[in-house]
Amino acid sequence: MGLYIPIGPYHPALKEPITIRIKVEGEKIVDADIELGYNHRGIEKLLESKLWISVPFIAEHVCGICSGVHQLTSIMGIERIFDIEDKIPERAKMLRIVGLELERIHSHLLWLGVAAHEAGFDTIFMYSWRDREKVLDLLEIQGGRRVVYSIGKVGGVRRDVDDKFIRKAKETMGYIRKQTKEYMRIFEEDPIVQARFRNVSILPYNVAIDLGAVGPTARASGVDYDIRAEDKYFGYSEEIGMRVAVRKEGDALAKVLVRLDEILVSADIIENVLENLPSGPIEIKVPPLKTPSPGEAFARSEAPRGELAYYYRSDGKRTPYRVKIRTPTLANILSAGYMVKGGYIADVPVAFASIDPCIACMERYVIINDGKKVRKIRWSRLIHYANKWFKENLHWLKEERVY
Amino acid sequence: MSGEQTQSQSQASSIAEWLKEVGVEAEIRVDKYNVAWTEIPPEKVKEAIKLLKEKGYRHLITISGVDLPDEGVMELIYHLAPVKMDGYPRLSLKTKIPRDKPEIDTITDIFTIAIVYEREVYDLLGVKFIGHKGLSRILLPKDTPEGYHPLRKK
Amino acid sequence: MLKKVKRWAFKRSLWVFHVNTGGCNGCDIEIVDALTPKYDLERFGIKLAPSPRHADVLLVVGPVTRKHAELLKRIYEQTPDPKFVVAVGTCATSGSTFEGAYNVIGGVDKVIPVDAYVVGCPPRPEAIIDAIVALVNKIEKGEVEKIEKA
């Protein structure tokens, strides 16, 4: 009994659907049938055969959307293993923050577009991805490329920024702020948008804590926890504008608003940091990073989707003995299963998208078992059905959800 | 700097005191990045984690498994984080289990999210979590041959 | 005469189906980006197909994980002739940094025949559009056997 949500592709010729099936005893989740095999590449094992210095280059390809935070978190761990973290220059740390916050903005705008598209609001998709291009322009200047921008290196950052970049960044942040406030207005005021997102797929506070939810998914349920504020890595602090975006409703609308709020926070941080950028070198001369002393290190950060953790073990050799990576989507997967349970079938696309799942956008199947019968429906069909259903039932849905 | 050292030392002793409550004498080492490391026997892990959660370590970040064939053991590390406990370190709770019979009690009744993390350790290292209500592969395809656990060292 | 009509009909609206075989999503977002106003693939008459049965071109991304290999073969078989496979990204071309990882086959051409490779990690939307347009031009010039012989 429960709702089956596939998170991988499914082909009619295969017998087994790939699903998240939540097994419940009463109201308690006791098992989740999940298979993630489609996207599993075997990275942790691969890293055991790569030199320490190569690890960040592979880490940044774990995820193309949040490659920056993967690279910089892997670097944080390596700098701890080699015991050079306290030597990183201030300017480098601040430039890392700029890169990470630009990434957060681009990732949230990307998500906004995809979530809006899946709910049938293609205009928002086009606008948000157009706005995102301006942020990618900045990332391209800072890192050299628009996707997988590779901003960091062990010991600092790869490239410096000049006044031209700072001026352009300030201008872009002004624009992004204006656009984001407009998106917030649409989501807070437009009744059609509200009918799709408000009171949909609520994740209560206690459940969010119990299921270990992280990131905006948890913060939208009132969980006041953000690694940037907890660990203050790289120099995050209230002084540079860091504040935790929290909402308490726990519904899909709250998740949208938390992310939009985070874009505003990121814009503040970027402006503050660039206004007061410390002078100095952008890297330290690291000794050839061949063999660290045996030991272990733990590093975590706040990726756009939530907490990202890296654990390293060294046995004194030129390659890591063990690397463990825990991505935020894995921590949110049970919450996703919880949120799609109950509610209307037409709410499933928004419910699942609201955790901002970092899985390839591919064809998926949903199997709905409502206790009476089992139906199978293709994801794109489901979206089409959902959008049509909403148009037809908008009149009473607005009453139920908005007023 | 020394102020922080004393603070982290006093927190380390609080953690040591709590572990004493479940009958464990453990040494807690806090590194310069505010991560505490300690090792306890496997049969005490479940009790210790239950108590630590009650004391405020309410966030299970993940469970890492490390294969140590030279020592004949597998090491499990439970990475915990405190919630709203000013300045308390993240805690990496380690334990060693025999490599030829890698088993330990599940903690899914304490942290529901462990359902996912324990399955990952089972899939890639072959550790059995006793009491887990659905221990099966999660990353590798379901038809992977029995006994194939790629993160084991040769 | 018939050949020219065939070529023209084929070129007028190309349906592409996007397949991810375990990639990091980097190439995916650049492909989607190609559809957004800044790059606008649709002005070339190129549209995203809803299923392989409607596709002319398969845009394949990712280093091909083991579980994806059988799926990819089936999607290829489901796509009607004449069809083209474009391997987008370095992973799809050769497996990139993941070559040698235990769950990765490494390169789309190890599973299905590939007609064009767009290298890059990820390739820019311009490069992706460039590849598709080049393919379309080749079709127009009659340089593509599959169409001539069909």
Side-chain angles (χ1 to χ4, degrees):
Chain A
M1 229 310 236
L3 199 64
Y4 299 62
I5 303 287
I7 54 169
Y10 173 86
H11 194 275
L14 294 178
K15 293 209 180 83
E16 244 182 287
I18 312 307
T19 63
I20 305 177
R21 177 169 34 120
I22 305 293
K23 185 160 141 207
V24 291
E25 273 170 18
E27 280 303 306
K28 189 99 181 37
I29 295 180
V30 291
D31 182 31
D33 190 358
I34 310 170
E35 190 177 316
L36 299 162
Y38 280 84
N39 267 28
H40 177 64
R41 284 161 284 175
I43 294 175
E44 291 177 3
K45 183 80 186 177
L46 184 71
L47 289 174
E48 289 174 15
S49 61
K50 303 280 176 182
L51 299 177
W52 283 99
I53 198 70
S54 306
V55 170
F57 290 100
I58 297 171
E60 65 183 352
H61 297 289
V62 172
C63 175
I65 303 171
C66 48
S67 72
V69 69
H70 267 280
Q71 187 209 38
L72 283 167
T73 312
S74 75
I75 286 174
M76 203 199 302
I78 293 175
E79 286 170 352
R80 290 179 179 183
I81 279 272
F82 282 89
D83 200 13
I84 55 175
E85 191 182 69
D86 34 18
K87 304 198 183 78
I88 309 300
E90 284 305 308
R91 189 178 176 93
K93 290 202 267 193
M94 290 297 122
L95 287 176
R96 286 177 176 182
I97 289 182
V98 170
L100 287 172
E101 293 310 305
L102 284 172
E103 175 171 81
R104 195 177 316 275
I105 297 178
H106 113 73
S107 175
H108 283 351
L109 286 173
L110 184 154
W111 172 83
L112 183 71
V114 171
H117 168 74
E118 302 219 314
F121 302 118
D122 269 348
T123 331
I124 298 182
F125 164 61
M126 288 292 171
Y127 277 132
S128 61
W129 278 55
R130 177 202 58 187
D131 295 343
R132 185 182 156 253
E133 288 295 324
K134 295 209 185 343
V135 180
L136 292 184
D137 285 343
L138 289 173
L139 282 164
E140 186 171 12
I141 299 175
Q142 193 185 2
R145 303 182 63 234
R146 35 183 277 134
V147 178
V148 191
Y149 13 85
S150 204
I151 286 185
K153 69 190 287 192
V154 179
V157 291
R158 279 194 316 121
R159 289 155 62 122
D160 207 342
V161 301
D162 60 9
D163 286 331
K164 206 161 132 211
F165 172 84
I166 296 178
R167 272 198 307 272
K168 190 174 170 112
K170 284 219 179 94
E171 207 186 291
T172 309
M173 289 305 110
Y175 171 79
I176 293 288
R177 227 185 241 117
K178 191 169 117 260
Q179 294 299 102
T180 305
K181 290 193 175 136
E182 181 62 20
Y183 296 131
M184 282 176 114
R185 194 195 60 80
I186 295 173
F187 275 88
E188 279 172 329
E189 291 176 20
D190 187 306
I192 300 178
V193 171
Q194 292 248 316
R196 282 316 290 262
F197 286 86
R198 201 165 192 254
N199 290 328
V200 167
S201 67
I202 296 178
L203 184 71
Y205 176 82
N206 293 322
V207 179
I209 301 245
D210 182 45
L211 297 183
V214 297
T217 303
R219 289 195 281 279
S221 298
V223 180
D224 179 6
Y225 199 76
D226 185 315
I227 314 294
R228 293 173 291 168
E230 295 289 315
D231 296 356
K232 301 190 165 60
Y233 56 93
F234 298 159
Y236 277 104
S237 67
E238 271 166 34
E239 283 88 68
I240 62 165
M242 173 60 211
R243 79 183 153 76
V244 183
V246 185
R247 299 250 165 183
K248 48 180 176 54
E249 300 85 11
D251 57 5
L253 183 64
K255 293 194 228 307
V256 175
L257 293 173
V258 162
R259 291 185 177 102
L260 291 176
D261 207 4
E262 286 188 0
I263 295 178
L264 296 178
V265 174
S266 295
D268 283 345
I269 294 176
I270 291 168
E271 281 187 346
N272 286 336
V273 167
L274 290 177
E275 184 84 40
N276 304 300
L277 200 58
S279 54
I282 56 165
E283 57 172 319
I284 50 164
K285 253 214 155 348
V286 291
L289 293 175
K290 289 226 182 81
T291 54
S293 29
E296 52 199 340
F298 183 78
R300 66 172 185 169
S301 61
E302 185 75 27
R305 285 163 190 81
E307 179 187 44
L308 171 67
Y310 272 72
Y311 165 74
Y312 290 99
R313 176 69 147 257
S314 150
D315 61 345
K317 302 247 171 51
R318 300 188 317 158
T319 55
Y321 189 80
R322 176 81 171 96
V323 181
K324 167 80 185 220
I325 308 173
R326 203 278 272 127
T327 57
T329 301
L330 194 63
N332 283 334
I333 214 79
L334 291 186
S335 304
Y338 178 92
M339 286 190 286
V340 297
K341 240 176 5 139
Y344 302 112
I345 292 170
D347 288 325
V348 169
V350 165
F352 187 65
S354 69
I355 68 156
D356 192 1
C358 198
I359 310 157
C361 334
M362 21 183 205
E363 197 59 11
R364 300 166 231 157
Y365 272 81
V366 180
I367 295 176
I368 318 254
N369 175 357
D370 56 12
K372 287 179 247 144
K373 67 174 176 171
V374 180
R375 293 167 275 179
K376 186 169 70 186
I377 177 171
R378 203 153 33 106
W379 186 261
S380 50
R381 251 277 150 86
L382 175 64
I383 293 186
H384 183 77
Y385 160 83
N387 294 340
K388 197 162 131 242
W389 187 87
F390 262 94
K391 268 209 187 79
E392 288 162 10
N393 294 287
L394 196 55
H395 50 280
W396 61 265
L397 271 172
K398 273 200 278 187
E399 295 290 322
E400 191 180 87
R401 291 189 173 165
V402 184
Y403 302 114
Chain B
M1 204 60 206
S2 63
E4 281 172 38
Q5 286 286 63
T6 358
Q7 189 191 33
S8 66
Q9 263 161 26
S10 75
Q11 284 154 0
S13 14
S14 312
I15 300 174
E17 286 302 312
W18 299 334
L19 289 175
K20 278 211 187 90
E21 284 181 46
V22 295
V24 179
E25 285 287 334
E27 226 184 84
I28 321 265
R29 170 184 66 93
V30 184
D31 67 19
K32 15 165 54 159
Y33 313 109
N34 209 26
V35 180
W37 305 83
T38 188
E39 191 185 316
I40 67 175
E43 61 273 9
K44 291 288 181 186
V45 163
K46 192 170 177 141
E47 269 182 86
I49 288 184
K50 187 153 189 274
L51 183 67
L52 287 163
K53 186 181 179 194
E54 280 163 28
K55 296 289 185 187
Y57 276 81
R58 289 189 285 145
H59 180 47
L60 176 67
I61 301 173
T62 194
I63 305 172
S64 299
V66 187
D67 188 17
L68 298 166
D70 291 344
E71 293 178 40
V73 297
M74 280 204 191
E75 198 175 81
L76 291 175
I77 310 168
Y78 295 80
H79 303 273
L80 298 159
V83 181
K84 295 292 164 243
M85 284 168 70
D86 221 12
Y88 268 78
R90 271 97 68 214
L91 180 58
S92 304
L93 189 71
K94 299 165 78 165
T95 193
K96 292 192 160 105
I97 53 179
R99 198 168 181 265
D100 47 13
K101 197 166 189 260
E103 291 178 354
I104 193 170
D105 277 338
T106 185
I107 58 163
T108 48
D109 43 352
I110 309 170
F111 283 105
T112 313
I113 191 67
I115 290 174
V116 172
Y117 302 142
E118 287 180 357
R119 278 181 66 182
E120 193 184 351
V121 178
Y122 166 71
D123 193 359
L124 300 180
L125 281 161
V127 174
K128 273 220 179 68
F129 290 89
I130 305 163
H132 187 297
K133 294 203 172 116
L135 197 64
S136 61
R137 293 192 186 276
I138 184 173
L139 291 177
L140 293 175
K142 292 262 198 267
D143 55 5
T144 306
E146 181 84 47
Y148 177 70
H149 301 290
L151 278 179
R152 285 203 176 182
K153 303 276 182 183
K154 295 287 182 305
Chain C
M1 174 68 201
L2 203 60
K3 275 197 183 152
K4 268 214 148 151
V5 171
K6 244 193 288 185
R7 283 186 230 145
W8 174 89
F10 201 88
K11 189 197 147 174
R12 271 304 148 238
S13 72
L14 216 57
W15 289 83
V16 297
F17 184 70
H18 171 195
V19 185
N20 185 312
T21 65
C24 73
N25 287 9
C27 291
D28 298 302
I29 58 180
E30 292 293 66
I31 289 174
V32 175
D33 226 45
L35 293 161
T36 54
K38 184 171 175 184
Y39 298 101
D40 198 10
L41 205 54
E42 283 192 41
R43 65 193 146 115
F44 295 109
I46 295 167
K47 291 198 153 218
L48 266 192
S51 96
R53 291 186 204 276
H54 301 110
D56 302 308
V57 178
L58 291 181
L59 286 182
V60 187
V61 146
V64 192
T65 58
R66 286 193 191 282
K67 199 73 197 250
H68 262 114
E70 18 172 318
L71 252 194
L72 183 59
K73 269 199 208 102
R74 275 183 237 253
I75 291 176
Y76 181 74
E77 283 155 19
Q78 268 207 322
T79 314
D81 280 323
K83 60 192 170 204
F84 301 90
V85 175
V86 180
V88 178
T90 311
C91 279
T93 305
S94 68
S96 186
T97 41
F98 302 109
E99 211 188 343
Y102 62 76
N103 212 31
V104 161
I105 299 204
V108 172
D109 56 15
K110 295 205 174 121
V111 180
I112 57 174
V114 174
D115 297 291
Y117 301 86
V118 190
V119 199
C121 193
R124 297 179 66 104
E126 293 98 321
I128 299 169
I129 296 177
D130 196 42
I132 301 179
V133 169
L135 183 64
V136 163
N137 284 335
K138 275 199 146 181
I139 294 171
E140 196 181 39
K141 288 207 198 106
E143 287 170 17
V144 184
E145 260 186 61
K146 287 190 240 198
I147 305 234
E148 304 303 301
K149 286 202 180 138

